[in-house]
């Protein structure tokens, strides 16, 4: 049994019966049966489903956004933006995806030709987190539908209402039953699901521990896996930066989604020449963040996703102080029902400490001073993660340096880092492997089959 809770109030929302083994097996059999037909459906029919699904996200934006806020606490304006981004991605793949599936031909030295043809693989398991409960799923779902695959979703327990709604929307968009199914289960049966012969691959967005477990099981059974895991992304500010915008965006990066975003800047690294001015303005702006009801349009910081997640962040802050870090302000539990805490900022963080190398998944930032570009790079790379990064500079030489030197799957210049629907997204090091979005995300779970035609 799974229970969902409103993190803003601590009140129970709903209770869900989890699937037993017979229920799981029925879902797997439906997926396998559906795939046999769905793989033969024309690409144009699949794009119709994508467009229809995108239209449903548009027409039901407010309802969907409020459901996410109720289950995991993000501010309503950000929830609406998440739903809109899902609609944009669905339409993007519908409009731009078919050319990504076109065959390619090579001339062979013996006079013959070889053709590369993209074919679907089969049922793919998606294990997804609660922090962007629609976007993380649709990022997998849209290319899956276009490819001709079918998907089974094991969503985070705290957003089961979203999981059910997603399955409902796919059916409403005209997809056959079994193209996308919600597996309402705990994490316990997932190993057996991955091992099942009817599952051909798995994708996971989540914690490093969950990714390691899924990758190990997928490896044991020789199945493809894509992982997007944690990040402790650097946000580097150099002297040529527009400080007004850099300060504003540094705050956004740290409190977006109530500080629960893998790819937003968690470690702000500032050049010594501008450190004092930036620090004063950054602290003032963080203190000025509007905390309140996540259903209010003016709210910038709501509750964390659960009391357990809030307590984990508070424990990390306590440990940081034990390691010699300075808590400049905040990072305090708020005495009210729900998963509330204030934003906060740490300085004097030793690079080799747990605080320096771990991810803090909440609204607590870290501020570092770098004497030059080399030290900024060293601090940026002194973590086991490599997901995203942001660099503030107008110097073209510095841009080129950071483009090559930062160990991450993505670097954004002079803006908050975030995934773009037209560009590949993914990490390196302990932030995972594989890519999502663009043609790369489409092709990850497809068979590039070579057809040889002799002369």
């Amino acid at each position: 049994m799974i229970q969902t809770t409103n993190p803003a109030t601590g009140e129970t929302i709903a209770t869900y019966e989890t699937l037993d083994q017979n229920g799981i097996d029925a879902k797997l059999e439906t997926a396998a049966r559906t795939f046999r037909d769905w793989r033969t459906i024309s690409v144009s029919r699949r794009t119709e489903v994508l467009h229809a699904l995108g239209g449903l996200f548009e027409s039901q934006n407010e309802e969907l956004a409020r459901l996410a806020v109720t289950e995991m606490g993000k501010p309503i304006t950000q929830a609406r933006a998440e739903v809109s981004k899902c609609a944009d991605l669905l339409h993007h793949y519908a409009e731009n995806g078919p050319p990504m599936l076109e065959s390619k031909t090579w001339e062979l030295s013996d006079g013959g030709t070889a053709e590369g043809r993209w074919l679907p693989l089969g049922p793919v398991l998606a294990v997804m987190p609660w922090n962007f409960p629609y976007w993380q799923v649709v990022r997998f779902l849209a290319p899956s539908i276009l490819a001709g695959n079918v998907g089974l979703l094991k969503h985070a327990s705290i957003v089961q209402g979203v999981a059910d709604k997603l399955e409902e929307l796919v059916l409403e968009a005209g997809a056959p039953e079994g193209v996308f199914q919600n597996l309402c289960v705990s994490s316990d049966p997932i190993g057996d699901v991955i091992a099942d012969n009817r599952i051909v691959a798995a994708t996971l967005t989540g914690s490093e521990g969950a990714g390691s477990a899924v990758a190990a099981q997928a490896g044991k059974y020789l199945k493809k896996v894509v992982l997007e895991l944690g990040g402790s992304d650097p946000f580097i500010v150099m002297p040529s930066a527009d400080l007004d915008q850099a300060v504003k965006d540094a705050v956004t990066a740290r409190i977006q989604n109530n500080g629960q975003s893998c790819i937003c800047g968690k470690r702000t690294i500032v050049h010594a020449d501008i450190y004092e001015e930036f620090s004063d303005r950054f602290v003032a702006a963080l203190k000025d963040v509007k905390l309140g009801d996540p259903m209010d349009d003016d709210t910038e910081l709501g509750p964390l996703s659960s009391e357990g997640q809030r307590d984990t962040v508070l424990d990390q802050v306590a440990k940081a102080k034990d390691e010699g870090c300075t808590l400049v302000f905040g990072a305090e539990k708020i005495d009210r029902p729900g998963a509330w805490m204030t934003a906060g900022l740490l300085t004097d963080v030793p690079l080799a400490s747990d605080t320096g190398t771990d991810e803090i998944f909440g609204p607590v930032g870290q501020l570092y001073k770098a004497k030059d570009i080399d030290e900024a790079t060293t601090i940026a790379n002194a973590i086991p993660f490599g997901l995203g990064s942001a660099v503030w500079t107008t110097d073209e030489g510095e841009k080129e340096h950071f483009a090559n030197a930062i160990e991450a799957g993505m670097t954004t210049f002079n803006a908050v880092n975030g995934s773009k629907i037209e560009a590949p997204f993914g990490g390196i090091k302990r932030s995972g492997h594989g890519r999502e979005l663009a043609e790369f995300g489409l092709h990850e779970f497809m068979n590039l089959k070579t057809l040889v035609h002799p002369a």
Side-chain angles (χ1 to χ4, degrees):
M1 186 172 293
I2 291 173
Q3 190 174 81
T4 55
T5 302
N6 187 332
T9 64
E11 297 174 344
T12 298
I13 302 168
T15 300
Y16 299 85
E17 290 290 337
T18 54
L19 295 170
D20 60 15
Q21 186 55 52
N22 288 335
I24 294 171
D25 189 69
K27 296 270 189 178
L28 290 168
E29 186 56 36
T30 296
R33 183 177 63 252
T34 300
F35 174 66
R36 289 192 288 270
D37 293 329
W38 180 244
R39 66 181 302 173
T40 67
I41 298 296
S42 68
V43 172
S44 62
R45 174 68 186 111
R46 297 176 205 160
T47 62
E48 289 176 2
V49 172
L50 289 173
H51 269 313
L53 186 56
L56 292 172
F57 271 86
E58 291 166 337
S59 64
Q60 299 182 35
N61 183 291
E62 188 67 16
E63 174 191 343
L64 297 176
R66 286 182 171 272
L67 176 57
V69 174
T70 302
E71 290 197 321
M72 56 74 58
K74 70 171 59 195
I76 185 66
T77 55
Q78 296 176 29
R80 293 181 187 125
E82 179 184 344
V83 175
S84 293
K85 190 174 183 179
C86 290
D88 290 344
L89 181 63
L90 289 157
H91 291 312
H92 172 76
Y93 270 118
E95 293 165 7
N96 300 288
M100 302 175 190
L101 296 175
E102 291 178 356
S103 299
K104 182 175 181 178
T105 301
W106 299 271
E107 298 295 330
L108 303 179
S109 59
D110 62 5
T113 61
E115 175 191 355
R117 185 174 297 180
W118 292 106
L119 300 173
L121 285 181
V124 180
L125 172 68
V127 182
M128 292 294 144
W130 43 260
N131 58 334
F132 291 92
Y134 296 111
W135 172 246
Q136 307 284 17
V137 177
V138 171
R139 202 166 67 189
F140 151 77
L141 175 60
S144 177
I145 289 174
L146 180 63
N149 290 324
V150 300
L152 294 106
L153 170 67
K154 192 287 179 206
H155 217 328
S157 296
I158 68 172
V159 288
Q160 278 304 305
V162 168
D164 276 352
K165 185 63 177 178
L166 284 165
E167 182 175 357
E168 175 187 316
L169 289 172
V170 174
L171 291 171
E172 190 176 348
E177 181 184 1
V179 165
F180 179 76
Q181 299 178 87
N182 174 34
L183 286 178
C184 184
V185 295
S186 69
S187 59
D188 295 339
I190 293 305
D192 290 338
V193 173
I194 294 171
D196 193 283
N197 289 332
R198 289 165 289 193
I199 293 294
V200 299
T203 180
L204 176 140
T205 298
S207 69
E208 182 183 343
S212 179
V214 166
Q217 185 73 341
K220 179 179 179 181
Y221 290 94
L222 300 177
K223 297 182 181 182
K224 178 73 177 288
V225 64
V226 170
L227 304 174
E228 192 260 278
L229 309 179
S232 189
D233 290 359
F235 186 104
I236 300 171
V237 187
M238 299 298 285
S240 65
D242 177 341
L243 278 192
D244 289 337
Q245 193 63 44
V247 169
K248 180 180 178 182
D249 281 3
V251 173
T252 298
R254 194 66 303 266
I255 66 163
Q256 184 177 22
N257 207 39
N258 303 331
Q260 301 164 129
S261 172
C262 298
I263 198 172
C264 279
K266 297 180 177 70
R267 297 175 303 126
T268 307
I269 304 164
V270 183
H271 192 283
D273 290 353
I274 56 171
Y275 179 85
E276 296 303 329
E277 180 181 1
F278 183 95
S279 176
D280 290 344
R281 294 169 65 175
F282 185 43
V283 170
L286 273 174
K287 287 182 176 179
D288 200 38
V289 165
K290 181 174 175 53
L291 183 146
D293 185 345
M295 288 294 186
D296 290 345
D297 284 1
D298 293 336
T299 293
E300 297 173 296
L301 180 63
L304 270 66
S305 60
S306 67
E307 293 183 25
Q309 179 60 32
R310 187 267 321 276
D311 292 344
T312 294
V313 174
L314 294 177
D315 288 344
Q316 287 178 293
V317 172
K319 183 175 183 179
K321 291 190 285 187
D322 290 341
E323 291 180 323
C325 304
T326 299
L327 178 60
V328 178
F329 78 94
E332 297 174 335
K333 179 180 178 180
I334 299 175
D335 188 17
R336 59 185 287 188
W340 296 89
M341 68 174 290
T342 62
L345 183 66
L346 296 165
T347 59
D348 305 314
V349 180
L351 292 188
S353 65
D354 287 344
T355 303
T357 57
D358 289 348
E359 177 181 30
I360 298 179
F361 214 56
V364 180
Q366 300 179 29
L367 183 61
Y368 297 78
K369 181 193 291 187
K371 64 183 178 183
D372 55 27
I373 191 171
D374 291 329
E375 186 173 29
T377 305
T378 296
I379 296 170
N381 291 337
I383 53 170
F385 302 107
L387 189 56
S389 53
V391 175
W392 285 79
T393 178
T394 58
D395 184 292
E396 293 303 318
E398 290 178 350
K399 287 183 180 180
E400 186 64 18
H401 166 85
F402 286 119
N404 292 315
I406 293 180
E407 298 167 355
M410 184 177 184
T411 298
T412 296
F413 294 103
N414 302 313
V416 176
N417 195 47
S419 59
K420 305 299 180 184
I421 63 174
E422 304 88 353
F425 173 74
I428 61 172
K429 298 161 70 171
R430 279 160 56 184
S431 289
H433 52 247
R435 291 294 180 266
E436 297 177 282
L437 302 177
E439 67 269 28
F440 303 95
L442 174 63
H443 293 158
E444 284 282 7
F445 294 120
M446 299 194 76
N447 172 21
L448 178 56
K449 186 173 185 178
T450 301
L451 307 175
V452 178
H453 305 282

